[in-house]
Amino acid sequence: MSFHTLSIVIPTINFAMNRSNIEYLLTSAKSIQAEVVLVLDSCDLNDFEDAKRLADFTDDWLKVVQTDAQNPGGARNIGLQKCTSPWITFWDSDDRAYPDELMKIVLAAEKES
C-alpha cells in the first residue's frame, strides 16, 4: 500500500535531451509528495545509470524503469504497472508542471467521492 495520494508517470525516449526538465518535474512532484515512475524508453545504459542516480536520493518516491516500447503509449503502460497510488497522472518529459493545481483537483475529487 502506498502512502502517496498521487502517482506521476513520466515517459521519455530521450533522457539526456530532457534531463533538465525532468529534474524540474521531479522537484514539482516532490513538492506535492507524489510517487514518480520515470520510464526510460529505448535508452542507453549511461542514461539509465544517470537516471538511477537521481533516484538514489529520493527515499523511494522515485522509481526508474526501462523499456524498449519505442512509443509513448507503451512506455506509459509500463509506468502504470508500477504505480501504487489511488490517483495517477501522466506528464511528458518536456511538460511544465502545475503540481498545486493538480493536487487541488485530486483533493476535490476525493472530497466528492
Side-chain angles (χ1 to χ4, degrees):
M1 185 73 179
S2 175
F3 64 90
H4 301 283
T5 302
L6 175 69
S7 292
I8 302 168
V9 177
I10 306 173
T12 186
I13 200 159
N14 193 336
F15 178 77
M17 184 174 83
N18 293 307
R19 189 182 197 285
S20 64
N21 198 63
I22 290 169
E23 287 182 23
Y24 155 77
L25 293 173
L26 296 177
T27 300
S28 297
K30 182 178 181 182
S31 75
I32 56 172
Q33 299 177 356
E35 171 187 61
V36 177
V37 181
L38 177 60
V39 184
L40 279 70
D41 188 0
S42 308
C43 71
D44 64 31
L45 183 58
N46 290 335
D47 285 345
F48 184 66
E49 292 298 324
D50 188 22
K52 282 183 15 183
R53 280 190 292 278
L54 291 174
D56 287 344
F57 304 101
T58 63
D59 296 325
D60 297 327
W61 59 264
L62 172 60
K63 300 174 187 173
V64 179
V65 296
Q66 196 172 10
T67 184
D68 286 319
Q70 298 183 355
N71 67 77
R76 286 184 190 109
N77 288 340
I78 296 296
L80 183 61
Q81 294 173 6
K82 302 293 183 183
C83 294
T84 62
S85 303
W87 293 93
I88 300 168
T89 191
F90 300 94
W91 289 352
D92 288 339
S93 59
D94 59 351
D95 278 352
R96 297 308 292 171
Y98 299 94
D100 295 328
E101 289 79 4
L102 178 59
M103 283 308 297
K104 286 177 189 174
I105 293 168
V106 168
L107 295 174
E110 284 189 337
K111 183 179 178 184
E112 295 295 321
S113 298

